[in-house]
Amino acid sequence: ERRVATSFERVHAALRARGADPGLLAVSDRAVDDEFRHAALCLEVASRYAGDAVAAPEALAFSAPTHPDASDALRPALVVIGQCALNETFAAAYLDACLEGATHPLARAALAELLSDEVDHARIGWAYAATLDDATRAALQAWLLPLAISNLRMWQQLSLPEDPGGALVAHGVPSPARVAQALREAVEALVIPGFARNGFDVGGLRAWL
């Protein structure tokens, strides 16, 4: 989660650079703390399953998209749209699929808290998209399809058991097929309508889907 917290530090800086609404700045600043809380929550859940305190794993190296072909003025917008409107929307879809079959109280409580935060984080991106000026929206248009595809493919590469069985599903482990369905539904019901509502041409996204 340190990597995701760093991503939200970039989102907060990008929104500040774009002169975003103070409310968006506050939510994006809180999102950094949310990710550290997520890490603590996951460690607590792991420890309860293990029956003993589990040591925090070594932090993974952070690698951010650089968007080398974008202008300096456009990069902050790409950071916010990519991380929030897309990545966090897909994260919420994944967690919703996890929660859907979970029956164990510990798993359900943890997943519900994570899902609630991811929905808020996705809203940062969609709220920001609603404030874009015409020039920025036009410049972002060419990036829409590649951003969506690269984000979706990352989520499709999750390592999950092909047939988790009832016991794992009850603890919040969905099958790859269910995750694939949830991600597609997110594109159809959230991503495409969200961008269309904010003035983007979504014909390319519909055709690709």
Side-chain angles (χ1 to χ4, degrees):
E1 297 296 340
R2 168 70 252 185
R3 292 190 304 169
V4 187
T6 302
S7 290
F8 275 107
E9 288 171 355
R10 294 178 74 243
V11 166
H12 183 70
L15 288 169
R16 195 169 57 243
R18 296 282 303 179
D21 179 88
L24 277 179
L25 289 173
V27 176
S28 64
D29 187 41
R30 191 193 73 206
V32 178
D33 291 333
D34 287 343
E35 295 304 330
F36 286 113
R37 180 166 46 80
H38 293 179
L41 174 63
C42 291
L43 197 60
E44 175 65 20
V45 170
S47 297
R48 293 197 185 189
Y49 275 117
D52 199 1
V54 173
E58 183 178 347
L60 299 173
F62 177 73
S63 177
T66 57
H67 308 117
D69 297 328
S71 67
D72 290 342
L74 185 61
R75 284 194 189 104
L78 288 168
V79 167
V80 179
I81 296 298
Q83 175 65 35
C84 298
L86 289 168
N87 184 65
E88 296 298 307
T89 295
F90 291 138
Y94 168 72
L95 287 168
D96 190 53
C98 295
L99 185 60
E100 177 184 75
T103 56
H104 191 279
L106 175 62
R108 286 194 61 81
L111 288 167
E113 182 170 340
L114 294 172
L115 175 58
S116 176
D117 286 341
E118 300 304 74
V119 170
D120 272 353
H121 298 171
R123 284 173 174 159
I124 296 171
W126 296 115
Y128 172 68
T131 70
L132 293 173
D133 57 77
D134 291 342
T136 303
R137 187 181 299 106
L140 270 170
Q141 180 67 56
W143 290 83
L144 202 59
L145 187 56
L147 276 178
I149 291 175
S150 60
N151 241 286
L152 187 59
R153 284 181 176 165
M154 179 187 69
W155 281 98
Q156 289 171 331
Q157 291 168 2
L158 289 173
S159 179
L160 294 167
E162 277 301 324
D163 183 9
L168 284 178
V169 170
H171 288 272
V173 182
S175 68
R178 179 64 191 100
V179 172
Q181 179 187 14
L183 293 172
R184 181 184 177 90
E185 289 170 352
V187 178
E188 289 178 324
L190 298 171
V191 172
I192 288 177
F195 282 123
R197 182 184 180 90
N198 286 297
F200 288 89
D201 179 356
V202 294
L205 270 172
R206 286 201 178 100
W208 168 70
L209 187 64

